[in-house]
Amino acid sequence: MAEPYYIDEDAGKDDDTAVGTLTAPYKTLLHAMKCHPPDLGPTTYTTKKVGPDGAAEWKPATESALKKARRLYDQHKRKEQKNAEVAIRERAEEVRRQRVLEEAKNVTLKEDASLPAPIRIRLDETDPSKITLGTADKPGTRVRVLGRVHRFRAQKDVIFITLKDGYGQMQVVFGGELIKTYAALTLTLETSLEIRGQLRELPPNAKAPLNRELHADFFTVIGAAVGGDKEAITNKVQAGGDPQTLLDQRHLVLRGDVLSSVMKVRAAVTRAFRQAYFETRCLEVTPPSMVQTQVEGGATLFAFPYYDQQGYLTQSSQLYLETCLASLGDVFCISPSFRAERSLTRRHLAEYMHIEAELDFITFDDLLVHIENVICRVIDLTFADPVTAGYIKELNPDFKPPSRPFKRMRYSDAIDWLNENKIEFDDEDLPEDHPERKRPHRFGDDIAEAAERRMTDILNVPIFLTHFPVEIKAFYMPKDPQDPRATESVDFLMPGVGEIVGGSMRISDYDELMAAYKRVGIDPTPYYWYSDQRRYGTSPHGGYGLGLERFLAWMCGRFTVRDCVLYPRFTNRCTP
Ligand code: 4AD
């Protein structure tokens, strides 16, 4: 009889080091069967048994153990067989595909010269004076479109392509000779194409953008997009993928529906602000970005060498806007502001788009009314455009415009509200176990982002939070005539996002401004041009700044401001 195969459940191995001998036994019976199939002839499997005295004994495997292992082994064999069949089929399919591709290289499309000359349209164009939709037996307008493949689905006799061009999307149908071409057979997402064909109505129950589809009769590839396991866009960027990778591949993420929609809403909102300011007779100006003065405290200044001196990137154009009032009337600007923020929060960027306005001869109440009017007008104008309204509906189906008038709340009342609602002040400057680390809020505390957001989310309405204490606000803010501890200042808070606007009246008295510089330790010398406004015909005036990305995060329902800007800049990220 042939030598048996040895199985030792304790010391054996089911890998390449085992050969089934006494010195190199297998670990399991199943593995022994895989290496020495029982159906190839009489085979003995010997297993090690340890007796009550601890001595090892080798005995043939029991009937029941053999039966169980045999069942598993048969299962394993069936699976292997199936895999082998699949592999054969796949190989045959690959050979067939290669043959088809080789043949496809010989297929050259020729445009049918008898067809009418096409008109060039963008993918969102519907002008009925130019475009008619045909059916299978009635010709529609022959058009020429240029765009990139956003999606495609290949069926046996037809390829459906969703083409995009930044203006819209169009369903395109390739059939006949077109799908026999090498280009069609190797089509990849993002490939740029020129397509000519006839526009037709959709068959009943079908769905496609603008309820139409282009039946292509001719196409050319302008630039094929890289494909394959490593390079295809869908493998490089995936929804919910690693955030750092997605930021590195931001240029490809921008090809997707979500970010491109937000960018379109951003353009529409920016346009709406310009329109709203135009309607209220605010004049647009463009202040410098390179400056030598600070507005919102030295801690967040980005410094850079400016020839032989030190320059800063502007934190806010406010001071410059104030200098325009006397000769230009009310003014606004839409310019980037820069903040060297250390915190990686979801509402801070190092570079953001700052929409700022400055109004002359006003009261604090006028300022609040103006902010409310502008915000509501911008929302109305944005939604008046059905295309933009459609993007917002996709991005943020639950968006509701805020009801008016906006809630107003003094800072001192907010402190009471926080304490009544047991939302504590968390002094992050103190160690975790310090008794004062968490305590009730007190007048003078800078309400932290988390507490502010909880309050806004619980109240669940937009809030004008006003009259912040002098100590926590910028040097230029005047005191409240009713309460000298407080300033005539306002933050506008939105549920889900928090502060989107910061504004105030400005100190209009020269001596008071000098005292304010002194209080915060600013040398007034380089600010002479700002202080002079108080010497050459001063006026009660005020203004505000609104962070466009925060406004968009609120409107488009995005979790972070980073999703509302083309290429976000924040701590340690300045690429791509
Ligand atoms: O409250 P802030 O700091 O106010 C000013 O800069 C005033 N000088 C503006 C003025 O009165 N003209 O900033 C105003 C707004 C904030 O409410 C917020 O929306 C936005 O600017 N903001 C930021 N957005 C993104 N990232 C940051 N790091 C931001 N810092 C401020």
Side-chain angles (χ1 to χ4, degrees):
M1 204 170 115
E3 179 74 2
Y5 296 109
Y6 292 87
I7 294 125
D8 179 346
E9 283 188 359
D10 301 320
K13 294 243 161 56
D14 280 352
D15 60 20
D16 290 348
T17 60
V19 287
T21 57
L22 251 179
T23 47
Y26 299 121
K27 189 173 180 67
T28 64
L29 195 47
L30 174 63
H31 191 75
M33 284 186 178
K34 284 183 190 170
C35 298
H36 309 282
D39 31 24
L40 290 184
T43 311
T44 319
Y45 304 102
T46 304
T47 53
K48 189 168 92 177
K49 294 271 175 299
V50 180
D53 57 352
E57 231 187 308
W58 292 94
K59 285 192 170 168
T62 61
E63 269 306 306
S64 69
L66 279 171
K67 220 165 133 189
K68 187 171 158 205
R70 178 72 199 218
R71 202 177 59 243
L72 291 172
Y73 170 73
D74 287 344
Q75 260 172 25
H76 160 79
K77 246 180 54 179
R78 277 199 298 276
K79 206 158 131 198
E80 280 213 317
Q81 204 168 345
K82 212 159 147 200
N83 288 347
E85 283 163 17
V86 170
I88 290 169
R89 268 207 307 275
E90 280 176 357
R91 254 199 316 277
E93 176 57 27
E94 185 52 31
V95 169
R96 193 196 63 82
R97 193 178 136 74
Q98 287 306 331
R99 205 176 51 233
V100 171
L101 283 179
E102 279 310 309
E103 283 166 14
K105 285 182 185 162
N106 301 321
V107 178
T108 27
L109 276 187
K110 265 197 87 169
E111 190 172 4
D112 181 349
S114 70
L115 291 171
I119 58 163
R120 159 118 195 245
I121 63 163
R122 291 209 158 120
L123 299 182
D124 63 336
E125 282 173 18
T126 54
D127 183 354
S129 67
K130 288 208 301 210
I131 301 166
T132 51
L133 297 188
T135 56
D137 40 34
K138 177 173 77 101
T141 307
R142 188 160 182 262
V143 298
R144 182 166 84 87
V145 293
L146 293 125
R148 293 176 181 79
V149 178
H150 193 42
R151 280 187 286 272
F152 71 93
R153 188 160 42 92
Q155 295 180 349
K156 194 159 168 285
D157 301 320
V158 50
I159 300 176
F160 288 101
I161 297 172
T162 305
L163 200 70
K164 61 168 180 189
D165 68 351
Y167 296 89
Q169 298 186 353
M170 182 179 277
Q171 173 156 296
V172 183
V173 189
F174 278 14
E177 277 298 286
L178 273 63
I179 60 169
K180 297 187 187 140
T181 57
Y182 187 77
L185 289 169
T186 55
L187 197 63
T188 45
L189 294 180
E190 296 301 323
T191 289
S192 49
L193 300 170
E194 178 183 331
I195 306 175
R196 299 171 180 216
Q198 201 192 87
L199 276 174
R200 286 196 198 156
E201 284 172 8
L202 284 182
N205 300 326
K207 272 181 99 171
L210 300 173
N211 291 318
R212 63 184 184 181
E213 58 188 11
L214 178 63
H215 285 255
D217 54 53
F218 184 73
F219 79 100
T220 42
V221 172
I222 295 167
V226 285
D229 288 349
K230 253 182 87 182
E231 293 298 327
I233 188 164
T234 37
N235 295 336
K236 281 209 145 171
V237 289
Q238 286 163 349
D242 167 53
Q244 292 309 320
T245 310
L246 292 178
L247 285 166
D248 290 339
Q249 303 296 332
R250 188 75 165 176
H251 57 299
L252 297 181
V253 174
L254 186 56
R255 304 283 180 107
D257 287 328
V258 173
L259 186 55
S260 60
S261 300
V262 176
M263 289 306 112
K264 287 174 186 173
V265 176
R266 182 179 165 117
V269 167
T270 309
R271 211 161 52 233
F273 268 105
R274 287 209 161 88
Q275 174 69 20
Y277 285 128
F278 175 74
E279 290 170 4
T280 50
R281 304 193 62 201
C282 277
L283 189 82
E284 181 162 11
V285 292
T286 44
S289 294
M290 298 193 230
V291 300
Q292 288 192 313
T293 43
Q294 53 151 295
V295 195
E296 298 300 326
T300 60
L301 277 176
F302 274 113
F304 66 94
Y306 188 76
Y307 301 99
D308 296 332
Q309 299 172 349
Q310 168 135 293
Y312 304 118
L313 295 175
T314 188
Q315 297 170 308
S316 157
S317 299
Q318 174 199 323
L319 307 192
Y320 292 93
L321 293 186
E322 288 186 51
T323 68
C324 298
L325 294 177
S327 56
L328 303 178
D330 296 347
V331 283
F332 79 96
C333 68
I334 303 183
S335 317
S337 278
F338 304 87
R339 305 274 170 110
E341 306 276 3
R342 286 273 155 220
S343 47
L344 283 164
T345 78
R346 61 184 165 116
R347 61 181 200 181
H348 285 98
L349 292 165
E351 174 179 2
Y352 70 97
M353 193 51 75
H354 209 169
I355 300 183
E356 294 182 273
E358 200 64 29
L359 313 170
D360 205 8
F361 300 113
I362 55 162
T363 62
F364 184 51
D365 188 61
D366 293 337
L367 177 65
L368 301 187
V369 170
H370 163 96
I371 297 173
E372 180 171 328
N373 283 342
V374 166
I375 287 179
C376 292
R377 183 69 184 134
V378 165
I379 295 168
D380 286 349
L381 286 167
T382 305
F383 275 87
D385 169 28
V387 176
T388 309
Y391 289 131
I392 299 172
K393 185 129 194 61
E394 280 286 315
L395 293 163
N396 188 10
D398 299 329
F399 179 83
K400 275 189 208 63
S403 48
R404 303 181 68 171
F406 295 167
K407 183 178 176 64
R408 295 185 185 190
M409 193 178 199
R410 288 181 75 99
Y411 164 91
S412 51
D413 294 332
I415 293 292
D416 294 344
W417 187 95
L418 289 166
N419 289 338
E420 279 157 24
N421 286 273
K422 307 268 176 295
I423 299 173
E424 291 192 301
F425 180 76
D426 184 3
D427 190 345
E428 290 181 353
D429 293 336
L430 296 175
E432 277 289 346
D433 53 356
H434 193 281
E436 279 283 284
R437 168 79 196 235
K438 286 202 169 151
R439 55 163 173 79
H441 279 87
R442 295 197 282 256
F443 188 96
D445 289 340
D446 200 353
I447 301 173
E449 184 177 330
E452 180 189 275
R453 204 167 32 231
R454 274 191 68 198
M455 182 176 84
T456 322
D457 289 354
I458 293 172
L459 294 172
N460 201 25
V461 285
I463 304 165
F464 277 138
L465 193 57
T466 64
H467 301 97
F468 289 86
V470 177
E471 297 72 34
I472 60 169
K473 281 293 178 185
F475 72 92
Y476 53 74
M477 296 188 181
K479 291 190 178 130
D480 174 19
Q482 262 86 58
D483 179 359
R485 295 178 308 160
T487 52
E488 284 190 311
S489 54
V490 57
D491 279 1
F492 181 54
L493 312 177
M494 277 295 188
V497 182
E499 179 200 326
I500 62 168
V501 175
S504 75
M505 294 300 283
R506 323 301 191 189
I507 291 176
S508 57
D509 179 75
Y510 184 81
D511 294 335
E512 212 179 297
L513 182 62
M514 290 299 140
Y517 288 133
K518 195 160 176 207
R519 177 172 60 79
V520 297
I522 292 180
D523 172 12
T525 320
Y527 289 79
Y528 71 93
W529 53 275
Y530 178 68
S531 312
D532 263 1
Q533 305 312 309
R534 283 82 188 157
R535 294 175 63 229
Y536 291 84
T538 195
S539 62
H541 64 283
Y544 58 92
L546 173 144
L548 177 61
E549 291 80 7
R550 291 195 188 173
F551 187 83
L552 288 167
W554 167 70
M555 190 178 240
C556 297
R558 299 296 95 192
F559 177 72
T560 152
V561 288
R562 293 179 195 174
D563 293 341
C564 301
V565 57
L566 267 185
Y567 289 94
R569 299 288 182 249
F570 52 91
T571 322
N572 296 331
R573 177 165 289 271
C574 202
T575 56

